[in-house]
Each structure stands twice: as C-alpha cells, then as structure tokens.
Amino acid sequence: MTAEREKLVLIGNGMAGVGTIEQILKLGGAYDITVFGSEPHPNYNRIMLSYVLEGSKTIEDIILNDHQWYEDNHITLHTGTTVIRIDENNRQVVTDTGLSVHYDKAIIATGSNSFILPVPGSTKEGVVGFRDIADCDAMLAAAKQYRTAAVIGGGLLGLEAAKGLVNLGMDVTVVHLLEDLMERQLDRTASSMLQAELARQGVKFAMGKQTAELTGEERVTGLRFSDGSELPAEFVVMAVGIKPNVQLAKDSGITVNRGIVVNDYLQTSMADVYSVGECTEHRGTCYGLVAPLFEQGMVLAKHLSGVPTPGYEGSVVATKLKISGVDVFSAGEFTETAEHTVISAKDEWKRTYKKILLKNNIIVGAVLFGDVTESASLQKLVKQATEMTDEIYGEVMGTGCCGGGGAKKGLSVEAMADEEIVCGCNGVTKKAIVDAVTENGFTTVDEIKACTGATRSCGGCKPVVEQILQFVLGDSFQQSAKQGICSCTPLSRDEIVAEITAKGLRTTKEVMHVLDWKQPEGCSKCRPAVNYYLGIIYPETHEDEKESRFVNERMSANIQKDGTYTVVPRMYGGVTTPEDLKRIADVSLKYDVKVVKVTGGQRLDLIGVKKEDVPKVWEELDMPSGYAYAKSLRTVKTCVGSQFCRFGTQDSMEMGAQLERKYERLDMPAKFKMAVNGCPRNCAESCTKDIGIVGNDGGWEVFIGGNGGIKPRIADAFCKVRTDEELVEVCSAVMQYYRETGNYLERTSEWVERMGLEHIQSVILGSDDNRKELAARIDFALAQVSDPWKKMLDDNSTRTALFEQTRV
Amino acid sequence: MELSSREYAVGAADDFMLQIGRVVNAGEVELAIFRTSDGAFYAVENHSPHPKGGPLAEGIVSGYYLYDPLHDWKIDLRTGEVQAPDRGQATVHPVTVDGGVVKVSLPEAVARL
Ligand SMILES: Cc1cc2nc3c(=O)[nH]c(=O)nc-3n(C[C@H](O)[C@H](O)[C@H](O)COP(=O)(O)OP(=O)(O)OC[C@H]3O[C@@H](n4cnc5c(N)ncnc54)[C@H](O)[C@@H]3O)c2cc1C
Ligand code: SF4
Ligand code: FES
C-alpha cells in the first residue's frame, strides 16, 4: 500500500491555476488533486478567445487540457461548480452544489471578472463583458442578428473585441474615455498610429467620451454620453477593465486589498492557502496578463513540490496586440517624465515608431509600433535593467552593422537562465525549448510549438524561440540535433543520394522503405525531393512520379489562390511575333482569361484559367510550355543587343533564345533564371540571375549565383570566355554541377555560398575534362525531355484524371 | 431532425489514379476523391479548412494523409482532422466501392443545400 497522499484543492480552473498544477505534475509533487471551476468547460486558453471571435479558431481549438488529461493525471474535476467558502477550522472547501472537500493545501486561482460600468442601463439585454466562452458565444450570436455595436474601452481587450466584431460584419464604434488608445501601454504617438491603422481596418472611434447611460427598454439601443451626445448600438461590449475576483477569499476571512494579498511564496493570510493569477495582489500589484501568472505558478509549484526556489519578485510585463496587420509592443515604463532620457525614431512613411526610455542610463521601457522585430531583445533588456551602451544602441536602433547584431542576439539567448520563461502565454521555459530541440532534432518553430506549446497563443515569443533554435543548432550542437531533409528521415541529402546509388534504389517508395522512413510514404517535402534525386541519378530510366510532384508541376500550370490556374507560353529570350500575340489574344478571349500580365522575365502570364479549360488552352495556343511553375529553367531575359542597340557589341537576343531553347524543360533543384546582355550596361540585369551573361568586345563574361527573390544576392563574377561555344559549355557545366550537387529547393545563390565560388571555379574551369564531362551529362539528360503539354494532350486518361471535373 | 443520406456513384474505380485526387461534383457538393496507395477511397469536400480556403484535390497524398496544395496543412483523409501544429477540420464523407463503382454517401441536408 502506498502512503496516503496529501490533498491539494485548486479553486478556479483557469490558466494560472491549471498552469500551476501542470508544473507540480512535472516536478513530481505527490498530491491527490481536486479542481473546481465555475465554467462548464475544461481548461482553455483565454487569450485565444480573441481568435475565436475573429474566426480563425474554434472553441475546440483553444482547449488546453481536455477531460482526458484530468483523467490521465488522476485529477478530480468539478466543472460548473463554484466554491463559496473555505472553512479553515475544518479544512474544507464548500461549494454551491453542497459539496465539502477536505484539503491539506488549497490554491485560489479565481481570476477576475469583467468590470461592468455602474451606469444606468448596464444590465440591459445585449450588454456583455469580454471574459469567457459565454461572452464570446454571445458576441458571435449577436453578430448574426444585429448590425451596430459599441465597444466601451479602448484597451487591449476592447480593441481585439472590436476587430473581431468588424470581422463578423458588424459596424463597430470603440468608445474611449481618454484621447489615447491603450494609454496604459502606449505613449501618445504610438497610440495615434494605432488608431489610424485600426480606422483603416474599419473600426470607428468615439474618443474622449464618457458613457453616462445605456438607452433602450429591455434591450439596449444605444449609449448616451456625459456631453449629451448619443450613439446608437444594438449590442454593447464592456471592456473597461477587470476586477480581481476576491469574493470567496473575502467571505472566508482572508486578507484582501484590491486582490488577495500574498507574500513572495504566494501564501495568503490563511495557513496552507495560496493564491495565484489575476485574483492575486503581490507587493501591491495585480497583474492582468498571463506571463506574470506563470512566473507566480512556477514559484508556487516548486514550493508545493518541495523544490528549493527563490521567492517571486514581481514581473515586468510586455504587451502585444493580437490583431493581424497591427504590430504593437510595449514593455516596462513608457510615459516619459523629466527623469527619463528618451531615444525615439518615428517613420511616417513606413508607419513605424520606436521608443526606448532610459533612467540613469538604464533601459527601463520601450514602445514599438509597426515593426516589432526588436521586441524580444528589448523585453530582455528592460527585464534585466540593462545599462545602455554604444553597442546596444547600435543594435536596437538599427545603426550597427547587421552581422554584429545577429551575433549579439545569440549571446543574449545564451545568457538566459534555463528556468526563464520564454513563452509567457504557455509557461514554457528556455530549458523546455532547448530540450525539445536537442532530444527530438527539431529545426522549426512549428515543431517546437507542437511539442511544447511555445508560440501557440499570442505569438509574441516567436522571435526568442527562433533565437534559441538558432543558438542550439549552432555548430556546437550540430551532432545532437542531427537533421535530415525533413522530419521523415534523419538522413541528409548526400546520405540519401549515396544510399540510392549504393543500393540501386529505383523509386521513392523503395527509397523510403529501405531507408526506414518514419512516415512510409514521406511528406510533401521529401517526396518531391527524392523524386528529383532519382531523376538526376537515373536520367534515362527514372519514371517521373506525378504523385510526388507539387500541384503546379503535376498540372504544368500555376495554381492561384482561388483554385484557377495561370498558363504561360514560352517566349524564347523574351521575343515573340505578332502572329503568336494574336493567338494568345484569341485564346485568352475565348477562355475568359482574367488578366494578361507581362512578367519580370519578359513573357505573358494568362491568369485565371479554369482547371478544366487548362488542356484546351494549351491545345489551342499550340506553343511550348513556359515552365513558369517548374523547378527548371524559367526565362532567359535579354536586352536588345547588337541587332538594334547602338551600344550593343554582342547579339544578346539571339544568344538568349539559343540558351533558352537548349536548356528548357530540364529538372533543376529549384527554379533557374538567366539573362544575357549585349554590353556591360547590363540592361537585362544579369546581377540577379542564377547565370548572368554580359557581352563585351572580345566575348562574354559569366556571373553566377545571383538572386532577386526572397534573399537577394548579387551574382559573383565566374569567368570570361571568348566564343559562343565556350559560353555554352561553361553554362552547361555550371548547370549540371548544380543539378548534381544542389539540395532540392536550394537556389544557386545558396548553393554558391555553401559550395564556395572557388570550389566551383576549380571544378569547372580547373579541368577541361571535367567541364566536358559535365556538359556531356547535361546533353544526355536533355535528350530525354519532352514538352509536358504535348505529352498530356496525347494521354487521354491522365488528362481526364487530372483536369476533368465530373458532375453526378 | 431526421438525417437521411443519399448515395452518389462518382465513377469507376479505375478512373482514379493512385495518390492523385480527382474533383467530382455530387449534388451541390464539390468533392475531392482520393485513392490511397493501398487502393482505398476517401472523399473530402474540396475546400481546405485553412482560413484562406482553396481546393484540396491537388494535394500530395502520403499514406492516409493529404498535404493541402496551397498551405501545406497535413490532413487525415480518414477523419478530416488537420494535424498538429495546425488545427482544423475538413469535411469527409463515407465511400464504398461496389462492383467496381465508387459511391459516396452524403447527408440529404447537405446534398440538397
Ligand atoms: C479575450 C481575452 C484576451 C486576452 N489576451 C491576452 C493576451 O494577449 N496576453 C496576455 O498575457 N493575457 C491576455 N488575456 C488575459 C489572460 O487571459 C488572463 O490574464 C489569464 O487568463 C488569467 O488567468 P487566471 O487563471 O488568473 O484567471 P482565469 O483564466 O480567468 O481563470 C479563473 C477561473 O476561475 C473560475 N472561478 C472563479 N471563481 C471561482 C470559484 N469561486 N469557484 C470555482 N471556480 C471559480 C472562473 O470561472 C475561471 O474559469 C486576455 C484575456 C481575455 C479575456
Ligand atoms: S546591355 Fe548594352 S547592348 Fe544591351 S540594351 Fe543595354 S546598352 Fe544595349
Ligand atoms: S508568449 Fe504568447 S504565445 Fe508565447
């Protein structure tokens, strides 16, 4: 028989209380646990009610611990049950349903209630707070039935409620007593920028208005303000503040000020009764955000589990508004007084604002608007009361060099204590994240999110989680966090390619089976990659697997967000003819193409073709596919060149067309772009192309590894050649070497940096034999390709299966 | 409320390629029908549960999972459940294969919508 365990009773089934219990379970605290909650639901993430309202989450989505969790952990849960008294003498909690339960230790975590303005009419139908699922349901229901709403209160909650109701189609006015929104977190400048942004998103404002009365009979019809003016509203949300829910503590004789008074170990005035969360007052402060609650819960959990811990010393709070497209952040002190030194930068064009407050050169607060990338570092600096230095200044005000900034950030993560909470919303410590990464080999924030819950709620901690990830995956951690091409396998690209060759594996299925993939048929990342590697290794025999191709490649057209497709015919070197243009125009008219667009690569996009029309459009265009969807040669951009240009020394149009004809259709690790210029004026912009070619008096100059996309990079000068034949041979060799050594989806810009420019030069320019062999291999592979549009038109059953839509 | 369902014959089993989705309109519902590598059939409404929507039929199929073609969400074809870290639910309907004919049964209410 096991010894009788102590009885722990939690009153309040919310974020702070259950967070504490979770920590106690982790620490192995030996208690028999009973939980009481007034709401009929298991523990959910209150923060995310804003997302439920906005429509991006459902109530189901925000449940943190379902009934099964309580069962699995042998916790007795009483939902829909309110505790009305703690009986100190008999050590019992008493509920409104007539239960009495013995406790050895009790935790009060009753949270807060919405503060309802004590004005006439505030109890009318159609007036709600914004606190729990019931309020949220009421708002969702109101939006179906009514048009106009008023939200009283321009703080975090009020604004999120207002945006949610706007999304639900209501006409919403935010009524605010003061002239500044979120005046408790933002200074005047940030606040007016915020108001302007929200106004653009459709929220109306009535600022500086004091509500005197809610009008209407049974149901509310509007607001009357103290200045006599009125605002009609069929629905009213009160979001003017919260008040700690201390009724139970008061009724039980526990010392209460604004909140339930506790010491640094969260002890109340009653023996063995503790309190955490919004109902608590610590050193004179009641908190209304989750991060402090988790910090309190952590201390309490340790205390109750017999793990030594320093006491709780209060929290620095930081706020982030959860409205898409509106980035606001504030931490610590934000209103400037004579004591403060203020560093600020406002950019009205980019609509960003940044302010840092110093007191005796110590960083004590910060406000960011529009661009919150620095929020994580600033929050730390404020939290640790860091002294301002030239270095920090350079880093956070953006005048330092970017390289230095990055290194610094890594360091600050390194200096962070293991137990420090990174994700305040979900109470996830640095250590939990580091462990998740090292033990499971995670490499993405999403994986960390799925495992630890960090970043799951407001998302404010994402930058720090990313920094920790970077820090852990840095060189010294490389071995413990071995990372394959995706989560299906620990093998790297090179290992997979080596195994395929050594074992003679022929299909993706075989590869995944023999190499012991975690998911037998792979995922959307590795299937296309393995299919590509097989194609490179067996250019002649590998049968391309349509089912392993991303939709665009499978359909040979680009899918758009509405499910229609874009069709792009080839235009070699960006040159077309009046006859072709006429055909394109005719087909576009016939099939009701929505937009004809000239692309950056000098050709025409026919946007908005219906799926079932795609084959007919090809057939009638009767032009080769432009491969705008493919990981292969997209375009060869050309300038006018010697044919017409007064500066041109080389025939760029002709050379561009020749190269495009030669290399079209061939699979590459990623999309591939080229440019050819007739002279060094470089009108076709070869510096941002995978291969850029510039003509000069004595021949051509070749550049490689340029990119104008997500990670722009200027191409490196690769070599100079004299003749057209040499040019083609160099291009062939570079492209084939990239095909053979590139990681799937790796652009040449990354490839050149990974392999090193000198290395590639030595392989291709250092040995004539090498270069010729590479060129021969690409020619062999090129001999195997054919136009997919033609092929598809000849293959009835595939075409029907892919494009036709049956009606039954 | 009485919930009856109606069966729609959506095609011959051979019309469906392995691991490649196909769109069928049944009544007013647009379905994406999938045939997994073990030959089993699944029917999902051709609308991604991602807030931005979009079709599902063109996704990559792996085992019983579908990768949403536009957003790369991973969806269980058997239950419609979106896999972590994303959350959501695609609408799935039961499929039977009867003498080489693939049939999807849709609730009447949906079918008549
Ligand atoms: C819409 C919304 C958005 C928010 N957004 C953010 C945000 O972005 N960031 C942030 O940090 N914070 C945010 N918050 C605040 C955050 O949700 C709270 O700080 C946090 O939930 C408080 O936790 P708690 O456990 O103290 O109280 P709660 O989570 O409110 O839990 C208290 C629970 O106790 C129950 N209870 C009360 N009295 C009794 C009793 N006598 N017997 C039994 N049960 C009882 C209540 O029913 C309630 O379920 C938001 C809050 C809301 C409402
Ligand atoms: S790059 Fe030189 S040849 Fe080509 S268009 Fe410009 S100036 Fe003329
Ligand atoms: S701090 Fe809000 S999700 Fe992590």
Side-chain angles (χ1 to χ4, degrees):
Chain A
M1 261 203 56
T2 51
E4 181 93 333
R5 302 220 245 182
E6 282 204 294
K7 301 239 180 302
L8 174 66
V9 173
L10 168 66
I11 306 162
N13 190 22
M15 300 191 68
V18 176
T20 309
I21 300 288
E22 282 184 351
Q23 292 300 327
I24 292 178
L25 294 173
K26 272 192 206 144
L27 295 167
Y31 288 101
D32 250 1
I33 302 173
T34 303
V35 177
F36 290 101
S38 299
E39 290 180 73
H41 310 276
N43 177 238
Y44 62 90
N45 193 333
R46 200 171 299 282
I47 300 179
M48 302 239 248
L49 284 176
S50 302
Y51 293 127
V52 173
L53 196 59
E54 174 206 83
S56 62
K57 302 269 173 195
T58 66
I59 301 258
E60 296 300 298
D61 294 338
I62 68 170
I63 299 290
L64 287 170
N65 297 298
D66 57 11
H67 288 281
Q68 192 63 42
W69 177 84
Y70 293 88
E71 257 173 55
D72 292 347
N73 289 292
H74 311 289
I75 296 171
T76 314
L77 172 65
H78 299 277
T79 52
T81 310
T82 301
V83 174
I84 50 174
R85 204 160 46 84
I86 303 177
D87 177 349
E88 188 179 17
N89 295 334
N90 298 312
R91 293 192 152 243
Q92 285 186 331
V93 302
V94 182
T95 73
D96 62 345
T97 53
L99 278 175
S100 297
V101 174
H102 169 78
Y103 69 86
D104 295 301
K105 299 265 158 51
I107 303 174
I108 309 179
T110 47
S112 334
N113 294 323
S114 298
F115 182 71
I116 299 293
L117 285 176
V119 295
S122 63
T123 54
K124 283 188 200 307
E125 220 178 278
V127 182
V128 299
F130 188 14
R131 182 69 202 165
D132 53 23
I133 291 185
D135 294 335
C136 203
D137 282 342
M139 289 191 235
L140 293 168
K144 289 212 177 95
Q145 219 181 331
Y146 303 101
R147 276 275 307 141
T148 53
V151 174
I152 308 182
L156 184 100
L157 264 190
L159 296 178
E160 287 179 8
K163 186 63 204 307
L165 293 173
V166 166
N167 280 6
L168 291 170
M170 293 190 94
D171 177 344
V172 184
T173 306
V174 170
V175 177
H176 197 50
L177 184 58
L178 303 171
E179 294 294 342
D180 297 322
L181 296 175
M182 289 182 70
E183 77 286 349
R184 292 177 47 204
Q185 290 91 15
L186 300 181
D187 66 352
R188 171 146 289 176
T189 309
S191 152
S192 62
M193 292 171 99
L194 171 63
Q195 184 174 339
E197 180 57 42
L198 288 171
R200 292 199 321 155
Q201 299 195 10
V203 180
K204 296 178 181 163
F205 292 93
M207 303 299 284
K209 295 279 189 187
Q210 181 174 9
T211 309
E213 186 184 350
L214 305 191
T215 56
E217 300 289 315
E218 293 269 281
R219 187 176 175 90
V220 66
T221 55
L223 311 181
R224 182 173 302 124
F225 301 119
S226 54
D227 61 7
S229 60
E230 296 196 17
L231 175 76
E234 298 161 288
F235 184 65
V236 175
V237 179
M238 292 253 191
V240 286
I242 51 173
K243 58 173 198 305
N245 182 2
V246 296
Q247 198 56 45
L248 160 72
K250 237 186 207 162
D251 292 347
S252 311
I254 294 173
T255 306
V256 169
N257 192 17
R258 191 167 115 77
I260 302 170
V261 177
V262 296
N263 65 12
D264 288 359
Y265 288 92
L266 293 313
Q267 282 161 322
T268 67
S269 65
M270 191 182 275
D272 292 323
V273 177
Y274 299 80
S275 177
V276 279
E278 282 187 351
C279 56
T280 305
E281 177 177 323
H282 172 263
R283 299 191 188 177
T285 305
C286 296
Y287 294 97
L289 291 168
V290 293
L293 316 181
F294 280 106
E295 291 175 12
Q296 295 171 352
M298 192 82 104
V299 172
L300 177 56
K302 284 190 178 161
H303 179 76
L304 288 177
S305 310
V307 177
T309 171
Y312 172 66
E313 299 191 327
S315 304
V316 172
V317 293
T319 316
K320 195 169 174 296
L321 192 63
K322 304 188 293 298
I323 297 182
S324 54
V326 192
D327 286 320
V328 218
F329 164 85
S330 97
E333 300 172 25
F334 55 88
T335 21
E336 47 208 84
T337 66
E339 286 178 275
H340 291 109
T341 307
V342 181
I343 304 167
S344 73
K346 183 176 172 187
D347 179 336
E348 293 192 358
W349 184 62
K350 289 243 172 166
R351 281 187 276 211
T352 60
Y353 174 64
K354 185 185 278 189
K355 179 167 98 170
I356 298 169
L357 290 186
L358 308 179
K359 217 186 240 171
N360 301 325
N361 209 34
I362 303 288
I363 302 170
V364 293
V367 178
L368 298 175
F369 183 90
D371 174 5
V372 293
T373 37
E374 292 294 331
S375 60
S377 8
L378 282 170
Q379 189 178 345
K380 265 197 77 66
L381 295 172
V382 173
K383 206 164 178 171
Q384 297 173 346
T386 317
E387 187 158 353
M388 185 54 115
T389 61
D390 277 346
E391 249 174 32
I392 297 180
Y393 179 86
E395 194 182 313
V396 296
M397 295 310 289
T399 44
C401 83
C402 29
K408 197 76 193 164
K409 270 182 203 149
L411 278 181
S412 71
V413 174
E414 190 176 0
M416 197 184 244
D418 276 357
E419 286 312 309
E420 189 166 325
I421 294 188
V422 171
C423 174
C425 293
N426 301 293
V428 185
T429 59
K430 174 189 168 193
K431 184 167 190 305
I433 295 171
V434 171
D435 288 352
V437 175
T438 48
E439 283 163 22
N440 304 307
F442 292 160
T443 53
T444 65
V445 173
D446 278 350
E447 288 167 320
I448 295 175
K449 167 162 136 194
C451 169
T452 66
T455 74
R456 194 173 49 168
S457 306
C458 75
C461 56
K462 194 165 163 199
V464 190
V465 174
E466 273 166 359
Q467 285 165 25
I468 295 180
L469 192 59
Q470 276 172 10
F471 160 68
V472 176
L473 294 179
D475 296 345
S476 52
F477 280 82
Q478 216 88 65
Q479 314 89 312
S480 56
K482 178 156 171 5
Q483 179 54 27
I485 56 168
C486 69
S487 59
C488 299
T489 174
L491 299 176
S492 68
R493 175 222 180 259
D494 292 348
E495 288 167 327
I496 294 167
V497 169
E499 293 279 349
I500 291 176
T501 332
K503 301 201 163 88
L505 308 173
R506 293 281 165 175
T507 62
T508 52
K509 200 166 243 170
E510 222 172 63
V511 172
M512 294 177 182
H513 179 70
V514 173
L515 303 182
D516 224 6
W517 242 244
K518 270 182 223 143
Q519 196 168 236
E521 294 180 351
C523 68
S524 55
K525 290 199 179 58
C526 58
R527 277 254 299 280
V530 171
N531 183 47
Y532 170 77
Y533 298 139
L534 287 167
I536 294 295
I537 299 169
Y538 309 114
E540 202 177 5
T541 52
H542 175 63
E543 190 146 337
D544 188 59
E545 299 172 10
K546 272 208 159 356
E547 65 278 11
S548 300
R549 289 279 193 168
F550 176 63
V551 42
N552 285 354
E553 297 163 56
R554 190 193 299 162
M555 315 295 274
S556 303
N558 294 52
I559 195 167
Q560 304 299 352
K561 66 179 186 182
D562 61 355
T564 63
Y565 288 81
T566 295
V567 166
V568 188
R570 253 309 161 212
M571 279 185 188
Y572 297 97
V575 178
T576 180
T577 62
E579 293 75 24
D580 280 354
L581 280 178
K582 186 157 177 297
R583 185 134 27 105
I584 290 173
D586 288 342
V587 174
S588 302
L589 281 172
K590 177 163 176 194
Y591 291 98
D592 207 13
V593 163
K594 285 188 201 138
V595 171
V596 179
K597 160 113 183 51
V598 179
T599 72
Q602 301 177 327
R603 51 187 180 180
L604 295 173
D605 272 351
L606 314 185
I607 304 177
V609 179
K610 285 189 240 35
K611 183 173 165 183
E612 59 240 68
D613 288 342
V614 171
K616 285 178 261 174
V617 168
W618 294 342
E619 188 161 22
E620 292 177 35
L621 279 176
D622 194 24
M623 296 176 191
S625 165
Y627 276 76
Y629 43 82
K631 315 221 176 344
S632 74
L633 179 63
R634 296 277 175 100
T635 56
V636 181
K637 189 173 183 176
T638 61
C639 70
V640 179
S642 63
Q643 283 190 37
F644 296 95
C645 176
R646 61 201 166 111
F647 301 108
T649 52
Q650 291 283 1
D651 189 350
S652 51
M653 282 199 287
E654 169 53 32
M655 178 50 79
Q658 187 191 326
L659 292 171
E660 187 163 345
R661 280 213 166 75
K662 179 170 172 71
Y663 298 115
E664 67 176 327
R665 299 172 188 159
L666 195 61
D667 283 328
M668 311 277 280
K671 64 178 166 190
F672 197 91
K673 298 179 177 178
M674 298 170 83
V676 185
N677 293 280
C679 86
R681 292 181 179 242
N682 205 355
C683 294
E685 298 163 335
S686 35
C687 51
T688 53
K689 299 292 179 285
D690 294 280
I691 294 185
I693 298 162
V694 176
N696 57 33
D697 235 346
W700 304 95
E701 204 173 335
V702 181
F703 296 81
I704 68 169
N707 186 3
I710 310 175
K711 278 186 237 145
R713 182 179 190 276
I714 298 292
D716 294 311
F718 187 71
C719 67
K720 290 186 182 163
V721 294
R722 268 184 212 290
T723 64
D724 291 1
E725 292 70 36
E726 281 175 87
L727 176 66
V728 171
E729 191 176 275
V730 167
C731 289
S732 287
V734 170
M735 287 167 87
Q736 181 64 9
Y737 194 50
Y738 167 55
R739 277 168 36 91
E740 291 176 5
T741 58
N743 294 328
Y744 189 65
L745 297 185
E746 181 181 44
R747 294 293 305 267
T748 56
S749 50
E750 302 157 294
W751 175 72
V752 168
E753 296 204 338
R754 180 168 65 83
M755 307 286 284
L757 180 68
E758 290 83 45
H759 167 80
I760 302 171
Q761 282 170 324
S762 77
V763 168
I764 289 165
L765 310 171
S767 145
D768 289 352
D769 286 351
N770 257 349
R771 185 171 62 250
K772 290 198 184 335
E773 276 163 29
L774 282 164
R777 285 209 289 278
I778 205 171
D779 285 342
F780 181 73
L782 282 166
Q784 323 292 325
V785 297
S786 61
D787 190 88
W789 291 4
K790 278 225 169 62
K791 219 160 84 187
M792 188 82 77
L793 291 175
D794 294 340
D795 179 353
N796 255 326
S797 65
T798 311
R799 192 184 62 224
T800 328
L802 285 183
F803 292 97
E804 238 152 66
Q805 197 149 335
T806 335
R807 272 162 239 277
V808 295
Chain B
M1 194 180 77
E2 189 86 354
L3 265 185
S4 57
S5 60
R6 178 170 159 197
E7 222 165 37
Y8 288 86
V10 295
D14 293 345
D15 295 345
F16 297 86
M17 292 163 78
L18 289 184
Q19 296 185 301
I20 288 187
R22 181 158 185 184
V23 181
V24 175
N25 290 76
E28 290 301 307
V29 182
E30 184 168 306
L31 297 169
I33 314 265
F34 296 95
R35 187 182 189 188
T36 50
S37 55
D38 59 1
F41 282 88
Y42 297 91
V44 183
E45 288 189 14
N46 194 20
H47 180 79
S48 171
H50 187 281
K52 294 200 174 147
L56 288 177
E58 291 80 14
I60 288 184
V61 178
S62 161
Y64 300 115
Y65 295 103
L66 171 70
Y67 290 86
D68 170 326
L70 295 187
H71 322 289
D72 207 35
W73 276 16
K74 185 179 179 185
I75 300 169
D76 190 328
L77 286 173
R78 295 163 297 188
T79 62
E81 196 182 336
V82 175
Q83 305 295 297
D86 304 304
R87 304 258 195 117
Q89 178 72 41
T91 312
V92 293
H93 297 289
V95 187
T96 48
V97 183
D98 188 357
V101 178
V102 184
K103 293 175 177 172
V104 180
S105 79
L106 298 179
E108 271 290 48
V110 174
R112 262 199 261 102
L113 260 185

